[in-house]
Amino acid sequence: VPMTSSTNSSTHERTDPRYVLDRAIATCGSVIAKVRPDQLTAPTPCSEMDVRTMLGHLVAVLDRIAALGRGEDPFAVAETHAPDDGWSDVWTTSAGRVAAAWSDDGKLEQPMALPWIQGSGADVLASYFSELTVHTWDLATATGQHPDWDDTVVNAALAARDFLPAENRRALFEEISTSMGLDEVAIPFAEAVAIPEDSPAIDRLVAWNGRDPGR
């Protein structure tokens, strides 16, 4: 269920973060649909997660985005579990909740805050482009997929990456983990990996987030 009207392809729609998020969700959904049950225990480039754990985390990301749109605590969302062959259905359901929660244009102007960003609802939505896309890459890499990356999404994710410093990321994640009341420091993105400037946009995005696209 898209958050913006498919009949309106105006410049305004293309600058609406919901439009980009729709496309990010669609790309991830296409990857999830091709994950086989026998791949669920395979490792991913995110060392702390196998494929099943990554799927649960991705769904939880959508549920947090939906909670933000409803004015609820996104960190009260629990990680999701699903039958081995039921992840696509769970993803579609969660995507529908995101669309419903952000259907009111006024949500984009409301002040919102997360441990890593403060701003409008639009700013907060944009902060999720990178996480969704990088974890979609993690999932695709773990399951031998080569999706057709959406340039609109990848470029928007690159543009919205500024909250993550180039170095000493542990200090940032320590601060975030403390603000969230976590007992352990969660470090989802390692130090940036150096790659050529003329590399494909998806490679530059995942390298910035601590992945080696050449592996």
Side-chain angles (χ1 to χ4, degrees):
V1 181
M3 287 178 279
T4 54
S5 170
S6 60
T7 60
N8 177 13
S9 58
S10 67
T11 301
H12 172 72
E13 181 192 53
R14 292 182 178 277
T15 59
D16 186 328
R18 296 173 299 182
Y19 169 83
V20 180
L21 192 66
D22 277 344
R23 296 174 71 119
I25 289 171
T27 299
C28 190
S30 70
V31 173
I32 290 173
K34 295 176 182 175
V35 175
R36 303 190 310 269
D38 65 293
Q39 295 175 315
L40 291 173
T41 56
T44 74
C46 187
S47 60
E48 298 176 356
M49 299 188 195
D50 62 11
V51 169
R52 179 185 279 108
T53 308
M54 180 62 74
L55 286 164
H57 179 70
L58 278 162
V59 172
V61 169
L62 287 197
D63 289 344
R64 290 185 187 112
I65 295 171
L68 279 165
R70 294 191 299 265
E72 299 170 2
D73 179 6
F75 301 114
V77 171
E79 294 286 305
T80 301
H81 302 278
D84 287 357
D85 60 353
W87 285 103
S88 275
D89 291 341
V90 170
W91 182 255
T92 300
T93 299
S94 289
R97 286 197 285 261
V98 170
W102 288 89
S103 61
D104 180 357
D105 291 350
K107 296 286 176 68
L108 299 177
E109 305 299 327
Q110 287 182 10
M112 295 186 184
L114 290 170
W116 55 88
I117 187 170
Q118 293 184 353
S120 66
D123 295 330
V124 168
L125 272 189
S127 76
Y128 280 102
F129 298 162
S130 183
E131 181 177 11
L132 271 175
T133 304
V134 172
H135 284 328
T136 299
W137 182 89
D138 287 334
L139 189 62
T141 300
T143 56
Q145 298 186 51
H146 301 279
D148 184 13
W149 296 105
D150 188 320
D151 290 342
T152 297
V153 174
V154 176
N155 289 329
L158 282 167
R161 66 186 175 177
D162 290 346
F163 79 91
L164 195 61
E167 299 175 343
N168 194 24
R169 291 177 176 176
R170 182 177 181 86
L172 171 67
F173 293 127
E174 285 176 347
E175 183 180 333
I176 291 173
S177 297
T178 298
S179 69
M180 292 170 59
L182 300 178
D183 294 331
E184 297 182 5
V185 178
I187 305 180
F189 304 113
E191 301 294 299
V193 174
I195 63 169
E197 289 291 329
D198 60 353
S199 298
I202 186 64
D203 288 359
R204 286 186 281 119
L205 177 65
V206 300
W208 173 257
N209 285 276
R211 313 295 198 250
D212 182 353
R215 287 181 57 192

